[in-house]
């Protein structure tokens, strides 16, 4: 009888502990600022009125989609480099000339673009971790090329989707005073509003919708992906890429996504871009629908008809099992086979489109 009472007490303590953990988790997901506020029922109703791809409380891809559809690949022993990756830090950034197009890859998908005299920032994660908290989660293995205090005035800031490696609370809060306008897929503006961002600066778009901002025509392009910062609320916000045209230059950022005929559609609808920032990294055999392999990324560049491309979504965070340099090794090899022009700048190195053919050094070779 005594043992039974002890067992009951142990079970009671265990269940109380589990209940406390669940309550803490619920409160964290509901109220912790960086997790953010998801679209309410009224916003969701407006999504359904705007597109038939929003139903059952979720956005859906254009084609059939499975988040997991295969076996997870073997974990590489070289997921992070032993050597220091060369990174060039940006300071005192000046406006470009009206005829120029400059691109600076900042690691992972974060990119700074100067199209004419306009400054454009894409998916800025200018912190040491990609996580809802600063003390845990994937840690950056390369230096930060552009620190928040060195960010210049930004005319357009684009967020491709709400995942933590693309939408970073601390970065947005640190640089918002320098941002004139945000372009986001439907629903992502809910997070920004919750973080105190001026609603007049927010422009939310659906696939193929465009907006003109001070001479820049910006079009949200489809991608095959998914969304969610809160595991209890998946795909409640949209995802996509961005096509930018100012009449002199054009650039296409793919965002995250699996390979399908969207890249051909971009070329047909918007024209072959001069420069393409193509997702290349954080892929796995276990989730082929949501991220492209390097070979697919090279084919996507060919499909879009881009004159040049820069691979992004690698070189900063470990989010998959492949080696840190596998993305760039494989895409450069496939680009050569397909006859695709690929520029491979260092992180933080500014590429002028006028001289982009001089940024083809394989700088990662020889690094462990």
């Amino acid at each position: 009888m005594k043992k039974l009472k002890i067992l009951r007490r142990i079970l009671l303590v265990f269940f109380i502990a589990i209940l406390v953990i669940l309550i803490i988790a619920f409160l964290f997901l509901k109220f912790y600022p960086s997790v953010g506020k998801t679209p309410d029922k009224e916003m969701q109703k407006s999504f359904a009125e705007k597109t038939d791809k929003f139903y059952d409380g979720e956005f859906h891809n254009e084609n059939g989609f499975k988040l997991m559809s295969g076996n997870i690949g073997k974990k590489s022993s070289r997921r992070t480099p032993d050597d220091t990756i060369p990174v060039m830090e940006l300071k005192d950034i000046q406006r470009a000339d009206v005829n120029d197009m400059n691109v600076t890859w900042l690691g992972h998908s974060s990119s700074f673009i100067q199209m004419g005299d306009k400054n454009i920032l894409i998916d800025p994660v200018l912190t040491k971790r990609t996580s809802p908290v600063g003390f845990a989660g994937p840690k950056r293995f390369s230096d930060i090329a552009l620190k928040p205090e060195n960010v210049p005035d930004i005319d357009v800031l684009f967020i491709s989707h709400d995942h933590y490696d693309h939408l970073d609370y601390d970065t947005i809060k640190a640089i918002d005073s320098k941002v004139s306008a945000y372009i986001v897929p439907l629903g992502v503006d809910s997070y920004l509003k919750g973080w105190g961002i001026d609603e007049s600066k927010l422009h939310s778009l659906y696939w193929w919708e465009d907006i003109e901002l001070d001479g820049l025509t910006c079009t949200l392009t489809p991608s095959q992906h998914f969304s969610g910062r809160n595991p209890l609320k998946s795909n409640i916000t949209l995802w996509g890429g961005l096509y930018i045209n100012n009449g002199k230059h054009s650039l296409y950022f793919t965002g995250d996504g699996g390979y399908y005929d969207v890249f051909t559609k971009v070329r047909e609808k918007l024209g072959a871009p001069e420069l393409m920032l193509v997702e290349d990294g954080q892929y796995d055999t276990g989730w082929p629908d949501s991220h492209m392999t390097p070979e697919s990324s090279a084919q996507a560049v060919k499909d879009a008809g881009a004159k040049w491309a820069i691979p992004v979504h690698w070189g900063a965070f470990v989010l998959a099992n492949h080696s840190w340099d596998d993305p760039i090794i494989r895409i450069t090899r496939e680009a050569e086979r397909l006859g695709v022009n690929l520029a491979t700048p260092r992180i933080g190195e500014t590429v002028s489109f006028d001289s982009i053919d001089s940024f083809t050094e394989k700088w990662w070779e020889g690094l462990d």
Side-chain angles (χ1 to χ4, degrees):
M1 183 65 69
K2 186 176 181 181
K3 289 183 178 180
L4 184 59
K5 288 182 178 180
I6 293 174
L7 180 60
R8 287 175 176 173
R9 288 176 183 174
I10 292 174
L11 289 175
L12 180 60
V13 170
F14 174 77
F15 284 122
I16 290 174
I18 293 296
L19 181 60
V20 169
I21 290 172
L22 290 174
I23 291 172
I24 291 173
F26 173 79
L27 294 175
F28 176 84
L29 292 174
K30 187 170 181 63
F31 297 110
Y32 198 74
S34 64
V35 176
K37 182 180 179 181
T38 53
D40 58 22
K41 294 296 183 182
E42 185 176 346
M43 285 188 73
Q44 293 180 48
K45 183 179 178 181
S46 71
F47 300 159
E49 293 172 349
K50 197 173 188 65
T51 171
D52 61 3
K53 295 299 182 185
F54 187 87
Y55 55 88
D56 295 335
E58 294 185 2
F59 282 103
H60 295 261
N61 285 289
E62 294 185 302
N63 298 326
F65 177 85
K66 290 183 178 180
L67 184 58
M68 296 293 295
S69 58
N71 296 321
I72 299 296
K74 183 179 179 181
K75 185 177 292 186
S76 170
S77 61
R78 299 180 61 254
R79 296 170 75 208
T80 59
D82 292 330
D83 295 330
T84 301
I85 291 181
V87 173
M88 304 173 70
E89 186 175 355
L90 280 73
K91 295 181 179 179
D92 192 25
I93 300 171
Q94 302 298 313
R95 293 273 183 178
D97 184 84
V98 292
N99 296 310
D100 291 342
M101 179 165 68
N102 302 326
V103 176
T104 307
W105 173 49
L106 304 174
H108 203 60
S109 285
S110 303
S111 301
F112 174 65
I113 301 159
Q114 293 178 299
M115 186 173 286
D117 60 354
K118 301 296 183 290
N119 289 338
I120 304 160
L121 194 56
I122 289 178
D123 284 356
V125 178
L126 310 180
T127 52
K128 293 183 179 180
R129 292 186 185 273
T130 170
S131 167
V133 295
F135 56 85
K139 186 177 181 181
R140 184 186 295 269
F141 59 77
S142 53
D143 291 336
I144 299 174
L146 179 60
K147 296 177 180 176
E149 61 266 27
N150 293 327
V151 172
D153 289 340
I154 300 298
D155 298 288
V156 173
L157 192 154
F158 174 68
I159 302 295
S160 63
H161 60 297
D162 67 10
H163 287 161
Y164 289 100
D165 58 320
H166 296 263
L167 175 58
D168 182 69
Y169 170 78
D170 289 333
T171 298
I172 295 298
K173 293 294 287 184
I175 69 174
D176 173 61
S177 62
K178 305 176 184 181
V179 179
S180 296
Y182 294 83
I183 295 177
V184 298
L186 289 180
V188 176
D189 52 325
S190 180
Y191 297 111
L192 300 176
K193 292 175 187 176
W195 295 343
I197 307 303
D198 186 344
E199 191 171 346
S200 67
K201 299 199 293 186
L202 304 178
H203 305 278
S204 59
L205 304 177
Y206 184 63
W207 293 334
W208 302 118
E209 279 193 316
D210 61 57
I211 185 172
E212 184 170 340
L213 295 174
D214 200 15
L216 295 173
T217 300
C218 302
T219 306
L220 185 74
T221 59
S223 69
Q224 183 172 279
H225 202 52
F226 64 103
S227 67
R229 296 168 76 81
N230 183 332
L232 303 179
K233 298 181 179 181
S234 299
N235 299 328
I236 202 170
T237 63
L238 190 59
W239 49 90
L242 185 70
Y243 192 104
I244 314 169
N245 193 320
N246 72 345
K248 291 186 175 67
H249 293 289
S250 57
L251 180 144
Y252 169 36
F253 167 59
T254 64
D256 281 10
Y259 177 81
Y260 73 115
D261 65 355
V262 65
F263 309 105
T264 300
K265 291 178 181 177
V266 166
R267 172 172 50 81
E268 293 172 348
K269 291 176 177 287
L270 304 174
E274 288 180 298
L275 181 58
M276 184 167 169
L277 303 182
V278 60
E279 181 209 35
D280 176 46
Q282 320 320 313
Y283 44 81
D284 195 282
T285 54
W287 53 79
D289 286 357
S290 58
H291 288 287
M292 292 186 285
T293 64
E295 291 75 21
S296 295
S297 296
Q299 184 62 50
V301 176
K302 189 176 182 68
D303 291 353
K307 292 182 180 178
W308 282 88
I310 295 176
V312 300
H313 208 244
W314 71 286
F317 302 108
V318 175
L319 303 175
N321 285 337
H322 58 68
S323 66
W324 74 271
D325 54 359
D326 190 62
I328 194 65
I329 291 172
R330 287 171 56 181
I331 196 174
T332 51
R333 182 172 58 221
E334 184 67 5
E336 290 173 5
R337 190 185 74 82
L338 293 176
V340 167
N341 292 322
L342 210 65
T344 54
R346 292 167 173 79
I347 296 174
E349 186 173 25
T350 299
V351 176
S352 168
F353 188 74
D354 291 338
S355 58
I356 194 170
D357 57 356
S358 63
F359 293 88
T360 57
E361 180 187 359
K362 296 181 179 180
W363 54 263
W364 56 91
E365 292 185 344
L367 297 177
D368 290 330

